[in-house]
Structures are given as structure tokens and as C-alpha cells.
Amino acid sequence: MTERFFAPCPRGLEQPLATELAALGASDVVPGEGGVALMGELDLAYRANLESRIASRILWRIGGAAYRDERDLYELVRAIEWTRYFKPERTLRVDIAATRSPLTSLEFATLRVKDAVCDRFRADRGVRPSVDKRAPDVRIHVHLTE
């Protein structure tokens, strides 16, 4: 199944990274600010994580939409079928980065994302994952823009 990914890299290296990822078999390779968007099978992400000399990591993009406030962010995150990606026995951590985000508090946004994930698990499975800030099993990276 084709998935969407994002490969962050140092600024200025987006085009060489795009060339590298295309050579690894990525499709729909689009250089952007600070990285490259790409599509491919999950095994491509594993291979790119191991073989890329430019990307700092490969992030699996599982959601995205327009938002205005923390309530919109909560609803967007809660709509994701989290049980497809990990089990509630796993621990999680949420990290948020923002570029010109309209939200006033990234700390509050982090809590809302965590609440949305846990609330979705509770609704679907009756249990929720725990948070582990030091050594989580799953890291959820959120990038907010304007």
C-alpha cells in the first residue's frame, strides 16, 4: 500500500535529497522547505532510513488538514485511526514544531494532541496508551503551519 512520507534535511539539501530518494524508488518526490515529501511502500521508508546520506529521518505522514484553533487540531487528530499504527500497550510521546502557527501555546497544543490520541484509543479499545517522555515506544511528530 502506498503511503505518504516526509524526509527532513538541512536547508539547501532538499534537491540532492529528492534525487537520492527517487533513486531509492520513491514516487511523487516533491522538495520543500527543510525536506522532501514522497510516496512509496512502507519498505521504502525503512530502506531510506538506512541508506539515505542526507535525510535526518523518514517521517510517516498519516494525517493533515487545515485548522484554526486547538479544537480543530483535536478533531483532526481524533479522526485518525490510531489502532492501525500501534497498540494501546505501547507508550507514546508527542512533539510539536510550528512555523507561523496561529496557535498561541504549543504546550497546550501538545496536550490536545495527546488527549485526542488517548480519547480515540479509549473509544475504540476501551483502554488508552500511557505517556513516556524519556523512552516512548511511539513518537508522534506534529508540524503546524499557517
Side-chain angles (χ1 to χ4, degrees):
M1 184 166 153
T2 301
E3 302 286 350
R4 298 180 305 161
F5 302 100
F6 184 76
C9 68
R11 298 217 190 277
L13 294 178
E14 294 90 351
Q15 192 54 56
L17 176 57
T19 302
E20 179 183 74
L21 293 169
L24 288 172
S27 61
D28 296 324
V29 178
V30 179
E33 188 176 327
V36 176
L38 63 138
M39 306 235 349
E41 303 291 323
L42 193 54
D43 67 327
L44 169 70
Y46 294 138
R47 197 169 55 257
N49 261 320
L50 289 172
E51 296 179 18
S52 176
R53 296 170 53 124
I54 303 170
S56 60
R57 62 183 170 251
I58 306 298
L59 301 173
W60 193 354
R61 185 170 182 203
I62 61 171
Y67 70 99
R68 292 181 313 273
D69 54 27
E70 290 85 355
R71 187 176 46 161
D72 290 344
L73 181 60
Y74 175 90
E75 293 301 328
L76 168 66
V77 173
R78 193 169 192 288
I80 295 170
E81 188 182 339
W82 291 101
T83 56
R84 177 178 175 228
Y85 303 104
F86 67 100
K87 296 180 182 190
E89 296 79 25
R90 301 288 185 187
T91 58
L92 69 94
R93 175 182 171 152
V94 175
D95 294 305
I96 292 189
T99 305
R100 297 179 293 277
S101 170
L103 303 182
T104 56
S105 171
L106 294 184
E107 291 82 12
F108 184 62
T110 302
L111 289 174
R112 294 303 289 158
V113 169
K114 185 267 304 172
D115 290 345
V117 173
C118 291
D119 289 350
R120 176 65 189 255
F121 266 105
R122 189 173 288 125
D124 290 350
R125 296 279 179 92
V127 294
R128 56 160 280 182
S130 295
V131 173
D132 183 344
K133 291 183 179 180
R134 289 209 163 117
D137 298 316
V138 175
R139 286 182 182 254
I140 298 170
H141 295 273
V142 179
H143 184 243
L144 302 172
T145 62
E146 59 186 336

